Protein backbone atom coordinates (compact mmCIF):
# COMPACT_ATOMS: atom_id res chain seq x y z
CA UNK A 1 0.00 0.00 0.00
CA UNK A 2 2.86 2.38 0.82
CA UNK A 3 4.46 1.55 -2.53
CA UNK A 4 1.23 2.28 -4.43
CA UNK A 5 0.80 5.57 -2.54
CA UNK A 6 4.36 6.64 -3.36
CA UNK A 7 3.85 5.80 -7.03
CA UNK A 8 0.64 7.84 -7.09
CA UNK A 9 2.37 10.83 -5.48
CA UNK A 10 5.27 10.49 -7.91
CA UNK A 11 2.94 10.50 -10.89
CA UNK A 12 1.32 13.73 -9.72
CA UNK A 13 4.71 15.32 -8.98
CA UNK A 14 6.13 14.40 -12.39
CA UNK A 15 2.97 15.66 -14.09
CA UNK A 16 3.14 19.02 -12.29
CA UNK A 17 6.83 19.32 -13.20
CA UNK A 18 6.08 18.72 -16.87
CA UNK A 19 3.23 21.20 -16.95
CA UNK A 20 5.75 24.02 -17.29
CA UNK A 21 7.00 22.56 -20.57
CA UNK A 22 5.61 23.78 -23.90
CA UNK A 23 2.57 21.72 -24.97
CA UNK A 24 4.25 20.61 -28.19
CA UNK A 25 7.13 19.02 -26.23
CA UNK A 26 5.16 17.97 -23.17
CA UNK A 27 4.93 14.13 -23.29
CA UNK A 28 1.83 14.11 -21.09
CA UNK A 29 -0.09 16.48 -23.37
CA UNK A 30 1.05 14.55 -26.45
CA UNK A 31 -0.09 11.33 -24.79
CA UNK A 32 -3.50 12.88 -23.99
CA UNK A 33 -3.87 14.00 -27.60
CA UNK A 34 -3.13 10.50 -28.84
CA UNK A 35 -5.57 9.06 -26.33
CA UNK A 36 -8.34 11.36 -27.62
CA UNK A 37 -7.51 10.21 -31.13
CA UNK A 38 -7.84 6.55 -30.07
CA UNK A 39 -11.20 7.30 -28.49
CA UNK A 40 -12.50 8.05 -32.01
CA UNK A 41 -11.41 4.64 -33.34
CA UNK A 42 -13.97 2.72 -35.37
CA UNK A 43 -13.66 -0.35 -33.12
CA UNK A 44 -16.03 -0.18 -30.17
CA UNK A 45 -13.64 -2.08 -27.87
CA UNK A 46 -10.83 0.43 -28.47
CA UNK A 47 -13.15 3.38 -27.94
CA UNK A 48 -14.45 1.89 -24.70
CA UNK A 49 -10.94 1.30 -23.34
CA UNK A 50 -9.87 4.83 -24.31
CA UNK A 51 -12.83 6.31 -22.48
CA UNK A 52 -11.92 4.47 -19.28
CA UNK A 53 -8.30 5.67 -19.40
CA UNK A 54 -9.38 9.22 -20.22
CA UNK A 55 -11.72 9.30 -17.21
CA UNK A 56 -8.87 8.25 -14.92
CA UNK A 57 -6.21 10.72 -16.07
CA UNK A 58 -8.14 13.78 -17.31
CA UNK A 59 -8.53 15.22 -13.79
CA UNK A 60 -4.73 15.65 -13.49
CA UNK A 61 -4.30 18.08 -16.37
CA UNK A 62 -6.08 21.12 -14.90
CA UNK A 63 -5.90 24.06 -17.33
CA UNK A 64 -3.72 22.07 -19.74
CA UNK A 65 -6.82 20.22 -20.87
CA UNK A 66 -8.38 23.40 -22.31
CA UNK A 67 -6.81 22.94 -25.81
CA UNK A 68 -8.27 19.43 -25.87
CA UNK A 69 -11.70 20.79 -24.97
CA UNK A 70 -11.43 23.39 -27.73
CA UNK A 71 -10.49 20.75 -30.29
CA UNK A 72 -13.43 18.55 -29.21
CA UNK A 73 -15.84 21.46 -29.60
CA UNK A 74 -14.39 22.25 -33.04
CA UNK A 75 -14.77 18.60 -34.05
CA UNK A 76 -18.41 18.62 -32.97
CA UNK A 77 -18.95 21.59 -35.28
CA UNK A 78 -17.12 19.95 -38.18
CA UNK A 79 -16.00 16.31 -37.77
CA UNK A 80 -14.04 16.26 -41.04
CA UNK A 81 -11.38 18.58 -39.57
CA UNK A 82 -8.24 17.18 -38.01
CA UNK A 83 -8.33 17.66 -34.23
CA UNK A 84 -4.72 18.82 -34.00
CA UNK A 85 -4.20 20.92 -37.13
CA UNK A 86 -7.87 21.95 -37.66
CA UNK A 87 -7.40 21.40 -41.41
CA UNK A 88 -9.87 19.62 -43.65
CA UNK A 89 -9.20 15.91 -44.03
CA UNK A 90 -10.37 14.40 -47.29
CA UNK A 91 -9.82 10.67 -47.20
CA UNK A 92 -11.63 7.35 -47.08
CA UNK A 93 -11.82 7.57 -43.29
CA UNK A 94 -14.53 10.18 -43.74
CA UNK A 95 -17.06 7.43 -44.31
CA UNK A 96 -20.32 7.34 -42.41
CA UNK A 97 -19.00 4.80 -39.89
CA UNK A 98 -15.87 6.89 -39.29
CA UNK A 99 -17.95 10.03 -38.78
CA UNK A 100 -20.15 8.11 -36.35
CA UNK A 101 -17.10 7.05 -34.35
CA UNK A 102 -15.74 10.62 -34.24
CA UNK A 103 -19.02 12.21 -33.23
CA UNK A 104 -19.79 9.49 -30.70
CA UNK A 105 -16.36 9.97 -29.10
CA UNK A 106 -16.69 13.76 -29.08
CA UNK A 107 -20.11 13.73 -27.43
CA UNK A 108 -19.00 11.15 -24.87
CA UNK A 109 -15.87 13.05 -23.84
CA UNK A 110 -17.63 16.42 -23.68
CA UNK A 111 -20.26 14.93 -21.37
CA UNK A 112 -17.59 14.08 -18.76
CA UNK A 113 -18.37 16.10 -15.63
CA UNK A 114 -14.90 17.65 -15.31
CA UNK A 115 -14.84 18.80 -18.93
CA UNK A 116 -18.38 20.13 -18.62
CA UNK A 117 -17.43 22.13 -15.53
CA UNK A 118 -14.45 23.52 -17.40
CA UNK A 119 -16.80 24.66 -20.19
CA UNK A 120 -19.32 26.20 -17.78
CA UNK A 121 -16.62 28.15 -15.92
CA UNK A 122 -15.07 29.70 -19.03
CA UNK A 123 -17.32 31.73 -21.33
CA UNK A 124 -14.68 31.50 -24.08
CA UNK A 125 -15.50 27.78 -24.13
CA UNK A 126 -19.22 28.10 -23.40
CA UNK A 127 -19.93 30.24 -26.45
CA UNK A 128 -18.49 27.91 -29.12
CA UNK A 129 -19.84 24.90 -27.21
CA UNK A 130 -23.41 26.25 -27.32
CA UNK A 131 -23.08 27.16 -30.98
CA UNK A 132 -21.70 23.72 -31.92
CA UNK A 133 -24.29 21.92 -29.84
CA UNK A 134 -27.15 23.90 -31.37
CA UNK A 135 -25.97 22.86 -34.86
CA UNK A 136 -25.16 19.26 -33.89
CA UNK A 137 -28.49 17.95 -35.22
CA UNK A 138 -27.67 19.22 -38.72
CA UNK A 139 -24.08 17.88 -38.51
CA UNK A 140 -25.28 14.43 -37.47
CA UNK A 141 -27.88 14.26 -40.22
CA UNK A 142 -25.33 15.41 -42.79
CA UNK A 143 -22.44 13.02 -42.02
CA UNK A 144 -24.15 9.88 -40.63
CA UNK A 145 -26.34 7.92 -43.01
CA UNK A 146 -27.50 4.97 -40.91
CA UNK A 147 -30.71 5.83 -39.07
CA UNK A 148 -29.92 3.69 -35.99
CA UNK A 149 -26.51 5.31 -35.52
CA UNK A 150 -27.98 8.74 -36.14
CA UNK A 151 -30.59 8.08 -33.43
CA UNK A 152 -27.87 7.12 -30.93
CA UNK A 153 -25.89 10.28 -31.66
CA UNK A 154 -28.93 12.53 -31.35
CA UNK A 155 -29.72 10.89 -28.00
CA UNK A 156 -26.14 11.56 -26.85
CA UNK A 157 -26.32 15.19 -28.00
CA UNK A 158 -29.64 15.65 -26.22
CA UNK A 159 -28.34 14.09 -22.99
CA UNK A 160 -25.27 16.34 -23.15
CA UNK A 161 -27.39 19.46 -23.60
CA UNK A 162 -29.74 18.49 -20.76
CA UNK A 163 -26.78 17.79 -18.47
CA UNK A 164 -25.20 21.13 -19.38
CA UNK A 165 -28.47 23.02 -18.72
CA UNK A 166 -28.45 21.93 -15.06
CA UNK A 167 -25.90 24.67 -14.29
CA UNK A 168 -26.77 27.13 -17.06
CA UNK A 169 -28.69 29.64 -14.95
CA UNK A 170 -25.66 30.02 -12.66
CA UNK A 171 -23.31 30.99 -15.50
CA UNK A 172 -22.15 34.58 -15.68
CA UNK A 173 -22.72 35.84 -19.22
CA UNK A 174 -20.48 38.80 -20.23
CA UNK A 175 -22.31 41.97 -21.23
CA UNK A 176 -20.94 41.86 -24.79
CA UNK A 177 -22.18 38.31 -25.31
CA UNK A 178 -25.64 39.12 -24.01
CA UNK A 179 -26.21 41.53 -26.90
CA UNK A 180 -24.31 39.62 -29.56
CA UNK A 181 -23.95 35.89 -29.13
CA UNK A 182 -27.05 35.12 -27.03
CA UNK A 183 -29.36 37.22 -29.19
CA UNK A 184 -27.89 35.65 -32.33
CA UNK A 185 -28.35 32.13 -30.97
CA UNK A 186 -31.92 32.84 -29.91
CA UNK A 187 -32.68 34.32 -33.33
CA UNK A 188 -31.25 31.20 -34.97
CA UNK A 189 -33.36 28.99 -32.70
CA UNK A 190 -36.46 31.03 -33.52
CA UNK A 191 -35.72 30.53 -37.20
CA UNK A 192 -35.48 26.77 -36.70
CA UNK A 193 -38.85 26.76 -34.99
CA UNK A 194 -40.37 28.75 -37.84
CA UNK A 195 -40.63 32.15 -36.14
CA UNK A 196 -38.84 35.32 -37.21
CA UNK A 197 -37.30 37.50 -34.49
CA UNK A 198 -39.50 40.46 -35.29
CA UNK A 199 -42.93 41.59 -34.17
CA UNK A 200 -45.45 43.03 -36.54
CA UNK A 201 -47.90 45.27 -34.64
CA UNK A 202 -50.68 43.76 -36.69
CA UNK A 203 -49.81 40.18 -35.82
CA UNK A 204 -51.67 38.02 -33.37
CA UNK A 205 -51.50 34.32 -32.61
CA UNK A 206 -54.21 33.56 -35.20
CA UNK A 207 -52.10 34.87 -38.08
CA UNK A 208 -49.69 32.47 -39.80
CA UNK A 209 -46.09 32.72 -38.65
CA UNK A 210 -43.48 33.27 -41.32
CA UNK A 211 -41.60 30.02 -41.96
CA UNK A 212 -37.87 30.53 -42.39
CA UNK A 213 -36.40 27.04 -42.45
CA UNK A 214 -38.23 23.81 -43.23
CA UNK A 215 -37.31 21.65 -40.23
CA UNK A 216 -38.46 18.32 -38.88
CA UNK A 217 -39.87 17.51 -35.46
CA UNK A 218 -36.43 16.69 -34.05
CA UNK A 219 -34.87 19.98 -35.14
CA UNK A 220 -37.85 22.01 -33.92
CA UNK A 221 -37.74 20.24 -30.55
CA UNK A 222 -34.03 20.91 -30.08
CA UNK A 223 -34.38 24.56 -31.15
CA UNK A 224 -37.36 25.02 -28.83
CA UNK A 225 -35.34 23.66 -25.90
CA UNK A 226 -32.52 26.10 -26.68
CA UNK A 227 -35.04 28.93 -26.41
CA UNK A 228 -36.48 27.50 -23.20
CA UNK A 229 -33.14 27.28 -21.44
CA UNK A 230 -32.44 30.99 -22.06
CA UNK A 231 -35.67 32.04 -20.29
CA UNK A 232 -35.12 32.97 -16.68
CA UNK A 233 -31.37 33.56 -16.85
CA UNK A 234 -30.43 36.51 -14.67
CA UNK A 235 -28.36 38.17 -17.41
CA UNK A 236 -30.61 37.60 -20.43
CA UNK A 237 -33.98 39.17 -21.26
CA UNK A 238 -35.91 37.16 -23.89
CA UNK A 239 -37.17 39.16 -26.84
CA UNK A 240 -40.86 39.75 -27.45
CA UNK A 241 -40.68 37.24 -30.28
CA UNK A 242 -40.05 34.48 -27.75
CA UNK A 243 -43.46 35.28 -26.27
CA UNK A 244 -44.93 35.21 -29.76
CA UNK A 245 -43.33 31.85 -30.49
CA UNK A 246 -44.55 30.32 -27.21
CA UNK A 247 -48.15 31.47 -27.71
CA UNK A 248 -48.21 30.44 -31.36
CA UNK A 249 -46.60 27.02 -30.75
CA UNK A 250 -49.10 26.18 -28.03
CA UNK A 251 -52.05 27.41 -30.09
CA UNK A 252 -51.31 25.76 -33.42
CA UNK A 253 -49.20 22.66 -32.75
CA UNK A 254 -51.23 19.48 -32.40
CA UNK A 255 -49.49 17.15 -30.01
CA UNK A 256 -45.95 17.97 -31.18
CA UNK A 257 -43.07 17.91 -28.65
CA UNK A 258 -42.41 21.62 -29.31
CA UNK A 259 -45.93 22.34 -27.98
CA UNK A 260 -45.00 20.96 -24.53
CA UNK A 261 -41.70 22.87 -24.54
CA UNK A 262 -43.52 26.08 -25.54
CA UNK A 263 -45.89 25.55 -22.58
CA UNK A 264 -42.87 25.32 -20.26
CA UNK A 265 -41.51 28.49 -21.88
CA UNK A 266 -44.80 30.33 -21.34
CA UNK A 267 -44.76 29.23 -17.69
CA UNK A 268 -41.31 30.73 -17.17
CA UNK A 269 -42.10 33.87 -19.19
CA UNK A 270 -45.30 34.55 -17.27
CA UNK A 271 -43.70 34.01 -13.87
CA UNK A 272 -40.59 36.12 -14.57
CA UNK A 273 -42.83 38.92 -15.88
CA UNK A 274 -44.86 38.76 -12.66
CA UNK A 275 -41.85 38.98 -10.32
CA UNK A 276 -39.65 41.34 -12.36
CA UNK A 277 -40.73 44.87 -13.16
CA UNK A 278 -40.63 45.08 -16.93
CA UNK A 279 -39.31 48.10 -18.77
CA UNK A 280 -42.11 50.29 -20.17
CA UNK A 281 -40.82 49.77 -23.72
CA UNK A 282 -40.84 46.00 -23.30
CA UNK A 283 -44.30 46.06 -21.74
CA UNK A 284 -45.63 48.17 -24.63
CA UNK A 285 -44.16 45.71 -27.15
CA UNK A 286 -45.59 42.76 -25.20
CA UNK A 287 -49.01 44.39 -25.22
CA UNK A 288 -49.01 44.16 -29.02
CA UNK A 289 -48.57 40.39 -28.77
CA UNK A 290 -50.76 39.73 -25.72
CA UNK A 291 -53.69 42.06 -26.45
CA UNK A 292 -55.17 39.55 -28.94
CA UNK A 293 -55.70 37.24 -25.93
CA UNK A 294 -58.63 39.47 -25.04
CA UNK A 295 -60.29 37.99 -28.12
CA UNK A 296 -62.34 34.81 -27.49
CA UNK A 297 -60.99 32.94 -30.53
CA UNK A 298 -57.40 33.46 -29.38
CA UNK A 299 -58.18 32.20 -25.88
CA UNK A 300 -59.91 29.16 -27.37
CA UNK A 301 -56.82 28.22 -29.39
CA UNK A 302 -54.52 28.75 -26.42
CA UNK A 303 -56.66 26.77 -23.97
CA UNK A 304 -57.14 23.97 -26.49
CA UNK A 305 -53.37 23.79 -26.96
CA UNK A 306 -52.75 23.66 -23.20
CA UNK A 307 -55.36 20.91 -22.94
CA UNK A 308 -53.48 18.87 -25.57
CA UNK A 309 -50.30 19.07 -23.47
CA UNK A 310 -51.77 16.98 -20.65
CA UNK A 311 -50.41 13.50 -20.13
CA UNK A 312 -51.99 11.02 -22.53
CA UNK A 313 -52.33 7.25 -22.36
CA UNK A 314 -52.76 5.10 -25.46
CA UNK A 315 -55.47 2.48 -25.94
CA UNK A 316 -53.23 -0.34 -24.68
CA UNK A 317 -52.69 1.49 -21.38
CA UNK A 318 -49.13 2.66 -22.04
CA UNK A 319 -47.95 6.25 -22.22
CA UNK A 320 -47.32 7.69 -25.68
CA UNK A 321 -43.55 7.84 -26.17
CA UNK A 322 -41.31 9.65 -28.61
CA UNK A 323 -37.75 8.62 -29.39
CA UNK A 324 -35.41 8.56 -26.40
CA UNK A 325 -33.73 11.84 -27.35
CA UNK A 326 -37.01 13.76 -27.64
CA UNK A 327 -38.36 12.07 -24.52
CA UNK A 328 -35.31 13.23 -22.52
CA UNK A 329 -35.91 16.83 -23.62
CA UNK A 330 -39.60 16.62 -22.66
CA UNK A 331 -38.73 15.33 -19.18
CA UNK A 332 -36.17 18.11 -18.75
CA UNK A 333 -38.77 20.65 -19.92
CA UNK A 334 -41.20 19.45 -17.24
CA UNK A 335 -38.49 20.10 -14.66
CA UNK A 336 -37.80 23.61 -16.01
CA UNK A 337 -41.53 24.32 -15.80
CA UNK A 338 -41.36 24.19 -12.01
CA UNK A 339 -40.96 27.88 -11.10
CA UNK A 340 -43.76 28.57 -8.62
CA UNK A 341 -42.65 29.47 -5.08
CA UNK A 342 -43.50 27.12 -2.21
CA UNK A 343 -46.14 29.51 -0.87
CA UNK A 344 -48.25 28.65 -3.93
CA UNK A 345 -47.74 24.90 -4.06
CA UNK A 346 -46.58 24.00 -0.51
CA UNK A 347 -44.00 21.29 0.05
CA UNK A 348 -46.65 19.00 1.58
CA UNK A 349 -48.81 19.16 -1.54
CA UNK A 350 -46.14 19.22 -4.25
CA UNK A 351 -47.61 15.93 -5.46
CA UNK A 352 -51.29 15.81 -6.32
CA UNK A 353 -53.61 14.66 -3.54
CA UNK A 354 -56.88 14.01 -5.34
CA UNK A 355 -55.91 13.80 -9.04
CA UNK A 356 -52.65 13.10 -10.86
CA UNK A 357 -53.85 14.97 -13.96
CA UNK A 358 -54.17 18.43 -12.42
CA UNK A 359 -50.93 20.40 -12.98
CA UNK A 360 -50.11 23.16 -10.50
CA UNK A 361 -47.61 24.58 -12.99
CA UNK A 362 -50.38 25.05 -15.56
CA UNK A 363 -52.53 26.81 -12.96
CA UNK A 364 -49.48 28.93 -12.23
CA UNK A 365 -49.50 30.22 -15.83
CA UNK A 366 -52.87 31.88 -15.34
CA UNK A 367 -51.87 33.06 -11.86
CA UNK A 368 -48.72 34.71 -13.24
CA UNK A 369 -50.48 36.25 -16.25
CA UNK A 370 -53.01 37.88 -13.93
CA UNK A 371 -50.29 39.04 -11.53
CA UNK A 372 -48.30 40.52 -14.42
CA UNK A 373 -51.36 42.47 -15.58
CA UNK A 374 -51.82 40.68 -18.92
CA UNK A 375 -55.34 39.28 -18.40
CA UNK A 376 -57.31 42.25 -17.07
CA UNK A 377 -56.93 45.48 -19.01
CA UNK A 378 -57.83 47.60 -15.95
CA UNK A 379 -58.54 47.18 -12.20
CA UNK A 380 -62.24 47.84 -12.85
CA UNK A 381 -64.32 45.06 -11.31
CA UNK A 382 -66.94 45.40 -14.04
CA UNK A 383 -64.35 44.78 -16.78
CA UNK A 384 -62.86 41.96 -14.73
CA UNK A 385 -66.26 40.27 -14.54
CA UNK A 386 -66.60 40.53 -18.32
CA UNK A 387 -63.10 39.10 -18.87
CA UNK A 388 -63.61 36.19 -16.43
CA UNK A 389 -67.05 35.40 -17.87
CA UNK A 390 -65.58 35.33 -21.38
CA UNK A 391 -62.73 33.04 -20.26
CA UNK A 392 -65.04 30.62 -18.49
CA UNK A 393 -67.40 30.58 -21.47
CA UNK A 394 -64.54 29.69 -23.83
CA UNK A 395 -63.08 27.07 -21.47
CA UNK A 396 -66.47 25.45 -20.86
CA UNK A 397 -67.13 24.98 -24.58
CA UNK A 398 -63.80 23.44 -25.67
CA UNK A 399 -64.51 20.75 -28.28
CA UNK A 400 -63.73 17.09 -27.62
CA UNK A 401 -64.06 13.95 -29.73
CA UNK A 402 -63.04 11.32 -27.16
CA UNK A 403 -63.16 10.60 -23.45
CA UNK A 404 -59.46 11.44 -23.15
CA UNK A 405 -59.95 14.88 -24.71
CA UNK A 406 -62.99 15.53 -22.50
CA UNK A 407 -60.93 14.67 -19.41
CA UNK A 408 -58.09 16.97 -20.53
CA UNK A 409 -60.58 19.79 -21.15
CA UNK A 410 -62.03 19.32 -17.68
CA UNK A 411 -58.52 19.51 -16.21
CA UNK A 412 -57.82 22.68 -18.19
CA UNK A 413 -61.00 24.28 -16.84
CA UNK A 414 -59.98 23.35 -13.29
CA UNK A 415 -56.48 24.78 -13.76
CA UNK A 416 -57.83 28.00 -15.26
CA UNK A 417 -60.34 28.36 -12.41
CA UNK A 418 -57.68 27.71 -9.74
CA UNK A 419 -55.01 30.00 -11.20
CA UNK A 420 -57.23 33.05 -11.70
CA UNK A 421 -59.04 32.62 -8.39
CA UNK A 422 -55.74 32.33 -6.50
CA UNK A 423 -54.43 35.47 -8.21
CA UNK A 424 -57.57 37.48 -7.36
CA UNK A 425 -57.47 36.34 -3.73
CA UNK A 426 -53.78 37.19 -3.43
CA UNK A 427 -52.86 40.32 -1.48
CA UNK A 428 -51.03 41.75 -4.53
CA UNK A 429 -54.17 41.72 -6.70
CA UNK A 430 -55.24 45.12 -8.04
CA UNK A 431 -58.74 43.85 -8.87
CA UNK A 432 -61.18 43.64 -5.96
CA UNK A 433 -62.58 40.14 -5.50
CA UNK A 434 -66.11 41.37 -4.86
CA UNK A 435 -69.50 39.69 -4.99
CA UNK A 436 -69.96 39.96 -8.82
CA UNK A 437 -66.64 38.17 -9.40
CA UNK A 438 -67.42 35.63 -6.69
CA UNK A 439 -70.67 34.81 -8.44
CA UNK A 440 -68.80 34.14 -11.73
CA UNK A 441 -66.57 31.59 -10.00
CA UNK A 442 -69.49 30.08 -8.10
CA UNK A 443 -71.58 29.56 -11.26
CA UNK A 444 -68.66 28.13 -13.26
CA UNK A 445 -67.66 25.74 -10.46
CA UNK A 446 -71.12 24.23 -10.05
CA UNK A 447 -71.65 24.11 -13.81
CA UNK A 448 -68.47 22.04 -14.24
CA UNK A 449 -69.02 19.79 -11.20
CA UNK A 450 -72.70 19.01 -11.73
CA UNK A 451 -73.11 15.24 -12.25
CA UNK A 452 -69.44 14.39 -12.88
CA UNK A 453 -67.43 11.26 -12.22
CA UNK A 454 -65.14 10.78 -9.23
CA UNK A 455 -62.14 11.33 -11.52
CA UNK A 456 -63.43 14.71 -12.70
CA UNK A 457 -64.40 15.69 -9.15
CA UNK A 458 -60.85 14.91 -8.01
CA UNK A 459 -59.48 17.45 -10.50
CA UNK A 460 -61.78 20.13 -9.09
CA UNK A 461 -60.77 19.19 -5.56
CA UNK A 462 -57.17 19.88 -6.61
CA UNK A 463 -58.30 23.22 -8.04
CA UNK A 464 -59.88 24.23 -4.73
CA UNK A 465 -56.77 23.13 -2.85
CA UNK A 466 -54.56 25.28 -5.07
CA UNK A 467 -56.88 28.30 -4.99
CA UNK A 468 -57.37 28.38 -1.22
CA UNK A 469 -54.00 27.08 -0.05
CA UNK A 470 -52.35 29.37 2.49
CA UNK A 471 -55.50 30.96 3.91
CA UNK A 472 -58.29 29.58 6.14
CA UNK A 473 -61.12 27.95 4.22
CA UNK A 474 -63.95 30.41 3.69
CA UNK A 475 -61.86 33.48 4.51
CA UNK A 476 -60.36 35.84 1.93
CA UNK A 477 -57.82 38.66 2.36
CA UNK A 478 -60.50 40.94 3.82
CA UNK A 479 -61.35 38.43 6.52
CA UNK A 480 -64.78 37.62 5.06
CA UNK A 481 -65.99 34.40 3.55
CA UNK A 482 -66.68 34.28 -0.21
CA UNK A 483 -69.77 32.87 -1.86
CA UNK A 484 -68.13 29.67 -3.11
CA UNK A 485 -66.65 28.39 0.15
CA UNK A 486 -69.71 29.51 2.12
CA UNK A 487 -71.99 27.47 -0.13
CA UNK A 488 -69.62 24.48 -0.18
CA UNK A 489 -69.41 24.40 3.61
CA UNK A 490 -73.18 24.79 3.91
CA UNK A 491 -73.73 21.97 1.43
CA UNK A 492 -71.32 19.73 3.32
CA UNK A 493 -73.10 20.56 6.59
CA UNK A 494 -76.45 19.58 5.07
CA UNK A 495 -75.02 16.29 3.80
CA UNK A 496 -73.62 15.44 7.22
CA UNK A 497 -76.89 16.44 8.90
CA UNK A 498 -78.88 14.33 6.45
CA UNK A 499 -76.64 11.32 7.00
CA UNK A 500 -76.96 11.69 10.74
CA UNK A 501 -80.76 11.91 10.44
CA UNK A 502 -80.93 8.77 8.31
CA UNK A 503 -78.76 6.92 10.79
CA UNK A 504 -80.94 7.98 13.73
CA UNK A 505 -84.11 7.05 11.90
CA UNK A 506 -82.73 3.63 11.08
CA UNK A 507 -81.94 2.94 14.74
CA UNK A 508 -85.42 4.08 15.80
CA UNK A 509 -87.05 1.67 13.38
Amino acid sequence: LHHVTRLNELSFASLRANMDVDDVKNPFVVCLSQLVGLSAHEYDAIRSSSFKVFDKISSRFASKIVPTVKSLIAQLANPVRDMNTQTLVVEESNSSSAMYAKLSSTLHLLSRTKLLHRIEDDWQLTEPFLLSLSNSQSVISRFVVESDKREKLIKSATDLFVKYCDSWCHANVPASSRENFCVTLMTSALANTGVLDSVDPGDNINNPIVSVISTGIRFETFAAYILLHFIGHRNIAPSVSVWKWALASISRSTGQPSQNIALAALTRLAYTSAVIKLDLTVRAALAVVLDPLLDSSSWELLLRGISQCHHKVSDDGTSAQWSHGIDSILKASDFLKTVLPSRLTSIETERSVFSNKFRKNNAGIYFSLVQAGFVFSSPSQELAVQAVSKLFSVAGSLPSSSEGEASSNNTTCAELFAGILRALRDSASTVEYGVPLQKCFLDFFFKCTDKVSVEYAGQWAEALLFAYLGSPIGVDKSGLGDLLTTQLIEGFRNIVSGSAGDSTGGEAD
Side-chain angles (χ1 to χ4, degrees):
L1 290 176
H2 283 299
H3 179 65
V4 172
T5 302
R6 290 192 189 98
L7 288 177
N8 193 37
E9 291 175 352
L10 179 62
S11 67
F12 273 102
S14 60
L15 180 60
R16 285 195 297 270
N18 277 276
M19 283 304 165
D20 295 330
V21 183
D22 182 60
D23 289 351
V24 179
K25 300 178 181 179
N26 191 324
F28 292 98
V29 175
V30 174
C31 178
L32 180 67
S33 178
Q34 293 177 352
L35 180 62
V36 172
L38 282 174
S39 67
H41 201 280
E42 290 190 47
Y43 287 174
D44 292 340
I46 296 178
R47 286 206 309 274
S48 179
S49 299
S50 301
F51 293 153
K52 292 178 181 178
V53 176
F54 184 88
D55 289 341
K56 290 181 179 179
I57 69 172
S58 59
S59 60
R60 304 186 180 186
F61 282 82
S63 60
K64 288 288 184 179
I65 205 170
V66 170
T68 301
V69 176
K70 289 182 178 179
S71 63
L72 287 171
I73 294 173
Q75 183 159 284
L76 179 61
N78 193 347
V80 298
R81 288 184 177 274
D82 183 80
M83 284 192 61
N84 297 317
T85 62
Q86 291 302 309
T87 56
L88 289 174
V89 179
V90 183
E91 52 185 22
E92 294 181 359
S93 62
N94 287 343
S95 62
S96 179
S97 58
M99 291 296 101
Y100 168 76
K102 284 185 179 181
L103 290 170
S104 176
S105 168
T106 301
L107 292 170
H108 181 89
L109 294 179
L110 286 175
S111 66
R112 300 300 88 194
T113 302
K114 293 188 181 299
L115 266 65
L116 211 52
H117 286 171
R118 179 71 60 179
I119 293 172
E120 293 167 353
D121 294 339
D122 186 353
W123 184 255
Q124 299 302 319
L125 296 176
T126 305
E127 188 169 315
F129 171 77
L130 263 179
L131 194 58
S132 298
L133 197 57
S134 64
N135 294 326
S136 61
Q137 306 278 321
S138 301
V139 172
I140 292 170
S141 299
R142 176 184 174 190
F143 291 105
V144 180
V145 178
E146 298 87 346
S147 59
D148 56 336
K149 292 182 177 179
R150 189 187 306 153
E151 185 67 29
K152 290 180 181 178
L153 290 176
I154 290 175
K155 173 189 175 299
S156 298
T158 302
D159 291 343
L160 172 59
F161 192 36
V162 170
K163 186 177 181 181
Y164 154 78
C165 283
D166 288 343
S167 303
W168 158 251
C169 285
H170 303 287
N172 185 24
V173 182
S176 58
S177 295
R178 296 173 205 170
E179 300 298 328
N180 299 322
F181 173 74
C182 292
V183 172
T184 302
L185 187 58
M186 292 178 74
T187 304
S188 175
L190 280 168
N192 285 327
T193 58
V195 180
L196 281 174
D197 191 19
S198 61
V199 178
D200 184 350
D203 278 355
N204 61 50
I205 60 176
N206 292 315
N207 292 337
I209 290 181
V210 181
S211 179
V212 181
I213 300 176
S214 179
T215 58
I217 292 177
R218 201 183 305 278
F219 294 92
E220 292 176 0
T221 303
F222 205 72
Y225 192 72
I226 289 175
L227 284 172
L228 172 62
H229 104 287
F230 274 110
I231 301 171
H233 193 284
R234 55 184 178 177
N235 297 138
I236 300 172
S239 67
V240 177
S241 292
V242 178
W243 277 87
K244 186 178 181 181
W245 158 76
L247 291 169
S249 295
I250 296 171
S251 302
R252 286 202 303 277
S253 300
T254 53
Q256 302 296 331
S258 57
Q259 188 178 36
N260 288 273
I261 299 173
L263 181 60
L266 182 61
T267 305
R268 296 178 72 85
L269 287 168
Y271 179 71
T272 52
S273 298
V275 299
I276 299 174
K277 189 174 182 180
L278 296 177
D279 181 79
L280 293 178
T281 306
V282 177
R283 179 169 285 277
L286 273 177
V288 175
V289 179
L290 296 176
D291 275 352
L293 282 181
L294 299 176
D295 180 61
S296 299
S297 59
S298 297
W299 266 115
E300 180 182 356
L301 290 173
L302 184 62
L303 291 176
R304 188 189 302 177
I306 294 176
S307 178
Q308 291 172 346
C309 291
H310 284 100
H311 182 71
K312 294 180 176 59
V313 177
S314 57
D315 295 336
D316 60 358
T318 59
S319 299
Q321 295 288 331
W322 297 91
S323 64
H324 189 91
I326 291 180
D327 201 46
S328 297
I329 287 183
L330 292 179
K331 289 179 180 178
S333 300
D334 284 338
F335 174 76
L336 291 177
K337 195 191 294 183
T338 307
V339 294
L340 293 177
S342 58
R343 70 180 180 85
L344 291 179
T345 57
S346 177
I347 297 175
E348 291 81 9
T349 59
E350 194 67 43
R351 297 178 66 85
S352 298
V353 178
F354 305 104
S355 171
N356 59 0
K357 290 187 176 181
F358 184 92
R359 293 289 181 264
K360 296 182 179 68
N361 291 322
N362 289 357
I365 295 175
Y366 311 113
F367 172 85
S368 299
L369 287 174
V370 172
Q371 292 257 305
F374 294 135
V375 175
F376 303 125
S377 56
S378 75
S380 168
Q381 185 171 181
E382 182 181 353
L383 294 178
V385 170
Q386 295 177 7
V388 170
S389 300
K390 182 192 299 183
L391 273 174
F392 287 164
S393 174
V394 171
S397 58
L398 289 175
S400 61
S401 57
S402 65
E403 178 58 31
E405 289 184 3
S407 177
S408 295
N409 290 344
N410 181 73
T411 308
T412 301
C413 290
E415 292 165 350
L416 176 70
F417 172 91
I420 296 181
L421 179 55
R422 182 62 188 270
L424 291 173
R425 297 184 76 252
D426 192 87
S427 59
S429 175
T430 58
V431 180
E432 181 185 356
Y433 183 52
V435 174
L437 268 175
Q438 294 177 24
K439 193 174 186 308
C440 285
F441 284 93
L442 179 70
D443 293 343
F444 185 64
F445 178 83
F446 283 105
K447 175 185 176 183
C448 293
T449 56
D450 183 36
K451 298 180 182 180
V452 294
S453 64
V454 175
E455 178 189 352
Y456 283 28
Q459 296 167 13
W460 283 96
E462 285 287 347
L464 290 175
L465 185 62
F466 181 91
Y468 289 95
L469 193 66
S471 62
I473 295 296
V475 178
D476 62 11
K477 62 184 180 182
S478 63
L480 302 174
D482 62 18
L483 294 177
L484 178 59
T485 52
T486 301
Q487 189 157 337
L488 285 173
I489 293 173
E490 185 64 28
F492 181 73
R493 186 180 290 116
N494 293 336
I495 291 174
V496 173
S497 300
S499 299
D502 293 341
S503 176
T504 304
E507 290 177 0
D509 292 339

